[in-house]
Amino acid sequence: MIAAGTQSNIEEELPSRTSILVAAVRAFGSREPDENVRNPDSMADLLIGPSELALISDHAVSTALTQDYREASQNPAIVLFAGLMLCRTRFIDESLERAVKKGATQVVILGAGFDTRAYRFGELLKHCRVIEVDAMPTQTYKKRRVREVLQDLPKNLTYCAIDFAKDDLMHGLHRVGFKRDEKTLYIWEGVCMYLPESSVRKMLQTIALHSTSGSTLVLDYANSVGIELGKFTPNSAGGIPTSWAEPWIFGVPGANGSEFFRELGFDPGVPVPAYSPEMVRRYGTRQDGTSYAAHVFEQLQRQAPTPPEVPPIGLLEAQKAVTAAGGVYWFTELTVMSKPLES
Ligand SMILES: C[S@@+](CC[C@H](N)C(=O)[O-])C[C@H]1O[C@@H](n2cnc3c(N)ncnc32)[C@H](O)[C@@H]1O
């Protein structure tokens, strides 16, 4: 394996380390004793072994996974990250269950990384075609690791290697048996922030144009304010080391992206901001009524540094923009609007 450098991972044949990172965070969250706030992705804990942790050894999550859960849960950065992944996993799991109940027969997981839904939802998906799409190095690594741990791959699962920034999505999907007239759920979890805006637009336009109406796309995304704010807090976005060469570069224009998605052919649904009371109510409330991360919020408030008397002007503006936008990181389920299918 080639060492980390400045080239993109796709060219270097390394698996995406952010894909390992987020799976490691789900693995951590799956060890939570309180089932109300436990990450349902316990399979991530099987897939993330010592070799995978070695690939993210410069991130605190790799240590957290080798520690006692309660001890590691005293680290605010770990808990906030695990809380975000808890909401993300459950929001998308619910979208998957809803889509299949409403008649989706194809599930396309874009930038799948270590996604385990083809396995966790084996029964629900038994009559569906599942296609995992990813860049070749990550997909090759994931397939090998899944075979090592679980031996068999589900019969209804197909893999499709694509570079979203270079290749044509539909061309790749059709090669592996995608049927454009079947209702489809696309999952785009933790991916669009890593892509150039032109690639995000092209992917969304392609999906809107070539999917049967009523197909859905569930995703999480930052807005442009969030990307700007990240420049003031280099350890944001999960503290991804710059040496991994996987920076967040794309944020949707506007507060919650609704207009952006509508222009590209989708009903934007009801975007929900991360860390919002709505998210805590849905996924982050413990059996005793407290919130998942309450203990670290208290800790953070006690330790809050005195703000500089004169904060940098750009930061002040960005903070005002966050308040105006209602958040920087969102989840939504888009629906393909009805239109004549193009050939
Ligand atoms: C943060 S990981 C998310 C993985 C997975 N969706 C999850 O949430 O566990 C980002 C994923 O996007 C994929 N990705 C990033 N840029 C890509 C590109 N240009 N083409 C294809 N896949 C890409 C990576 O390979 C990786 O699997």
Side-chain angles (χ1 to χ4, degrees), residues 119 142-143 146-147 150-157 159:
Y119 310 89
K142 194 259 186 99
K143 272 159 80 173
V146 166
R147 281 210 182 88
L150 307 169
Q151 280 84 48
D152 291 331
L153 305 178
K155 300 226 172 342
N156 59 338
L157 171 63
Y159 290 95

Side-chain angles (χ1 to χ4, degrees), residues 226-243:
I227 299 294
E228 279 307 302
L229 195 63
K231 294 178 185 162
F232 295 99
T233 48
N235 276 337
S236 61
I240 298 167
T242 48
S243 63

Side-chain angles (χ1 to χ4, degrees), residues 123-142:
E123 184 58 27
L124 178 78
L125 295 173
K126 68 183 175 201
H127 300 303
C128 292
R129 183 177 302 108
V130 182
I131 305 176
E132 286 194 6
V133 185
D134 210 335
M136 179 76 87
T138 304
Q139 191 161 85
T140 306
Y141 189 102
K142 194 259 186 99

Side-chain angles (χ1 to χ4, degrees), residues 86 105 138 156 166 169 194 218 229 233 256 263 296 303 306:
L86 167 68
T105 47
T138 304
N156 59 338
K166 294 182 186 154
L169 174 67
Y194 298 99
V218 62
L229 195 63
T233 48
N256 65 16
E263 274 169 26
V296 300
Q303 294 167 352
T306 322

Side-chain angles (χ1 to χ4, degrees), residues 237-280:
I240 298 167
T242 48
S243 63
W244 294 6
E246 294 183 70
W248 282 30
I249 55 173
F250 171 70
V252 296
N256 65 16
S258 285
E259 279 316 303
F260 175 76
F261 297 127
R262 213 186 302 275
E263 274 169 26
L264 293 168
F266 294 91
D267 176 328
V270 184
V272 190
Y275 302 115
S276 60
E278 173 67 9
M279 276 284 160
V280 174

